[in-house]
Amino acid sequence: MIISRSASEQYGLHRGDVIKIGEKYTPFEISAVYNDFPNNSELSNIRMLTNIGNENTKMWNNENYSLYFKAVNGAENIEDQAHKISIQILKDIEEIENDEDLAEFEEEIAGIHFLSIPLDKTHFYHEIHGNHIRANKKVVYTLIITALITIILAFINYINFFFSQVPEKIKAMNVKKILGCSRGSLIFSVALEAAVHALVASVVAFIIVKIVSFAEIGTIINRDLSISTNISTAIITVLSVIATAVLSSIYPAFYITSVQPALALKGIINGNPKSKLRLGLTIFQFTASIALIIGTLFIKENNDYMLAKDLGFDHENVFSTFTTQKIANSRDAVEQSLRQNPDILDVAWAMGNIVAIQRMGWGRKYMDKDITFQCFPVSWNFLRFLGVEISEGRDFTESDEKSENGVFIFNQNAQNAFGLNLDAKIYGHKAETEIAGFCKDFNYKPL
């Protein structure tokens, strides 16, 4: 076993120490300490790694593992190579000894297709099985576009605000011209003023971000917001803002320094500063603002839908928390203690969150067909606890937990998709397991 540096420092563990894990307190010797994964990695919470060896290598219907290939830089046809290597691995594990076995094996894998996805791109692929942290590419791009439009609107406001002060600024600039200032130095002073405004705005923005990071709203961002860990991002942001501000000030600067001093001091200014340009900026500003308002209303509608959608189970006043294995082993005593609280109506147990992106993926044979489904081990009173209705058959009973093989309850979607019935049996952990009943469908994945 190897452990992370943070775990080593927290628990005072070092190379050569032995720790015991699991129900059977299996001993593991620490062979190394590794540096923690980056905070923005989905591996950041992993604090120990063990070698799985040959565990479950014969269980092709076990989908608890992910397979990774590390290719040589510049490698070509990675998907074809991954396909050949994977097939060879499958052949080695299957221990194919004759042509008959090979023909059967090739028939089983004929429908397998490989798609190579760079590790840093898996964040946006929902098709990949496993407990990967996923994001919606459309949502991310929408947020980026919204941020860019907001910044553009801010600088259009800056330009319009600048033009609203044209009469006063023209007089001030031409007074400086009379006193000997060159046009180039005046343009530079305007650009410098814009840069200072942008810098001050950036500092205020960083302060706001820092304050938000300590507030509850900061928890929705799965990243460390401190400047010390985002130096490059902070520098690029500040330089980009300053550059945009300076570019926005160039045209107004050229305009206010183009008026003759004599006319400016008399208050004679010929025409409006590019009225068509200002009109176009104003139209864009209103169009973008209305688009953002409409987008916000759609987001509100979507949020209201998620809050009001019937999930198929009673989630009001339900509190969930993770426990340790030690607590789970003493759950009868824990339940008895919790039930003494008059505010607690019932207690149920499950292996994971009620609503989750991914659960244990099981592949089984049924009626000579391969079927796959997600399995969710729960206590006997779990469905009753959440108010999930049984559509056919019976609910779990307390005696089911004490039976050697347990029982299955499938939802109606699985019943219809696989053609299941109450007389059918599906292989469980150890042997063929009966189906006790079927429950109504409920939403077990995030919306």
Side-chain angles (χ1 to χ4, degrees):
M1 170 185 290
I2 61 176
I3 64 173
S4 65
R5 187 168 300 281
S6 61
S8 171
E9 294 173 353
Q10 180 177 354
Y11 300 112
L13 298 172
H14 306 283
R15 181 181 176 185
D17 292 345
V18 176
I19 59 177
K20 297 180 179 180
I21 299 176
E23 294 184 36
K24 299 180 180 179
Y25 295 101
T26 306
F28 286 87
E29 181 180 352
I30 299 173
S31 59
V33 176
Y34 65 89
N35 290 327
D36 290 70
F37 292 105
N39 290 331
N40 63 335
S41 166
E42 65 181 49
L43 304 177
S44 59
N45 293 326
I46 295 178
R47 310 192 72 185
M48 61 179 65
L49 297 168
T50 60
N51 190 334
I52 63 173
N54 293 322
E55 180 182 354
N56 291 331
T57 53
K58 294 289 186 181
M59 297 182 64
W60 294 111
N61 47 24
N62 191 325
E63 300 179 5
N64 293 329
Y65 306 96
S66 299
L67 182 62
Y68 297 91
F69 286 95
K70 187 173 183 179
V72 177
N73 289 336
E76 298 180 355
N77 301 321
I78 294 178
E79 292 181 7
D80 293 338
Q81 295 183 40
H83 183 277
K84 292 177 182 179
I85 294 172
S86 299
I87 297 302
Q88 187 59 51
I89 292 175
L90 297 180
K91 286 182 179 179
D92 294 340
I93 295 176
E94 281 287 324
E95 299 177 354
I96 296 174
E97 299 178 352
N98 52 57
D99 294 340
E100 183 179 347
D101 292 341
L102 179 60
E104 183 179 350
F105 172 76
E106 290 179 345
E107 182 180 351
E108 289 182 355
I109 66 171
I112 297 178
H113 301 282
F114 286 82
L115 175 65
S116 61
I117 302 171
L119 190 60
D120 59 348
K121 299 294 188 300
T122 58
H123 190 56
F124 291 116
Y125 278 84
H126 290 246
E127 296 82 3
I128 300 176
H129 291 288
N131 296 317
H132 302 287
I133 300 175
R134 295 169 173 83
N136 191 311
K137 187 182 294 187
K138 293 180 180 178
V139 173
V140 173
Y141 288 161
T142 299
L143 293 175
I144 292 175
I145 292 173
T146 302
L148 292 175
I149 292 175
T150 304
I151 293 174
I152 292 172
L153 289 176
F155 285 109
I156 290 176
N157 281 333
Y158 181 84
I159 294 174
N160 287 333
F161 176 75
F162 196 101
F163 277 128
S164 68
Q165 297 179 312
V166 161
E168 293 80 5
K169 285 187 174 292
I170 285 180
K171 289 183 179 180
M173 288 295 174
N174 283 281
V175 168
K176 293 179 180 179
K177 274 187 181 181
I178 295 172
L179 295 176
C181 291
S182 64
R183 187 184 183 190
S185 64
L186 294 176
I187 293 175
F188 176 78
S189 67
V190 173
L192 180 62
E193 179 184 356
V196 171
H197 289 164
L199 182 61
V200 172
S202 299
V203 172
V204 174
F206 282 127
I207 293 174
I208 293 174
V209 169
K210 189 66 177 177
I211 294 173
V212 167
S213 66
F214 291 112
E216 184 176 354
I217 192 175
T219 58
I220 66 175
I221 301 175
N222 188 24
R223 182 175 175 84
D224 185 0
L225 297 179
S226 61
I227 296 178
S228 58
T229 57
N230 298 280
I231 292 295
S232 58
T233 303
I235 293 175
I236 293 173
T237 300
V238 172
L239 292 179
S240 300
V241 171
I242 291 176
T244 308
V246 170
L247 291 175
S248 300
S249 68
I250 294 298
Y251 167 67
F254 271 93
Y255 175 77
I256 62 176
T257 57
S258 64
V259 180
Q260 294 297 325
L263 296 176
L265 293 178
K266 291 180 180 180
I268 302 174
I269 302 175
N270 295 325
N272 293 323
K274 298 288 185 181
S275 58
K276 291 184 179 179
L277 174 62
R278 292 187 63 188
L279 179 61
L281 293 176
T282 302
I283 292 174
F284 174 83
Q285 186 176 7
F286 274 100
T287 303
S289 299
I290 293 171
L292 289 178
I293 292 173
I294 294 173
T296 303
L297 292 176
F298 275 113
I299 293 173
K300 180 182 181 301
E301 288 293 324
N302 187 58
N303 187 59
D304 291 342
Y305 166 78
M306 290 190 293
L307 293 175
K309 179 177 171 56
D310 181 12
L311 299 179
F313 63 88
D314 183 10
H315 55 85
E316 295 294 332
N317 300 320
V318 174
F319 175 79
S320 65
T321 184
F322 285 97
T323 66
T324 63
Q325 187 63 49
K326 185 176 182 180
I327 292 176
N329 292 339
S330 306
R331 68 179 199 175
D332 290 338
V334 174
E335 279 191 37
Q336 185 178 1
S337 176
L338 291 173
R339 291 180 190 279
Q340 292 177 359
N341 188 327
D343 294 328
I344 297 177
L345 298 178
D346 202 357
V347 180
W349 301 76
M351 198 175 80
N353 286 322
I354 299 171
V355 177
I357 296 174
Q358 187 77 19
R359 308 186 189 280
M360 285 194 304
W362 282 17
R364 296 292 189 265
K365 283 280 189 182
Y366 177 70
M367 302 291 289
D368 296 327
K369 293 182 179 180
D370 292 319
I371 63 173
T372 59
F373 55 89
Q374 293 187 29
C375 185
F376 190 31
V378 298
S379 61
W380 69 273
N381 64 329
F382 185 80
L383 295 179
R384 185 190 68 189
F385 177 88
L386 292 179
V388 177
E389 296 182 27
I390 299 297
S391 58
E392 185 179 351
R394 65 172 178 84
D395 197 350
F396 292 121
T397 63
E398 196 167 1
S399 61
D400 290 333
E401 290 191 358
K402 300 176 183 178
S403 64
E404 183 177 0
N405 297 324
V407 296
F408 283 118
I409 289 182
F410 285 89
N411 62 9
Q412 290 177 318
N413 186 42
Q415 180 185 15
N416 297 330
F418 305 142
L420 301 174
N421 56 65
L422 295 176
D423 296 325
K425 287 190 175 182
I426 304 292
Y427 195 91
H429 278 295
K430 299 178 180 179
E432 295 288 329
T433 303
E434 70 171 297
I435 299 176
F438 299 96
C439 67
K440 290 188 175 181
D441 293 332
F442 62 93
N443 204 93
Y444 61 90
K445 285 188 175 183
L447 296 176

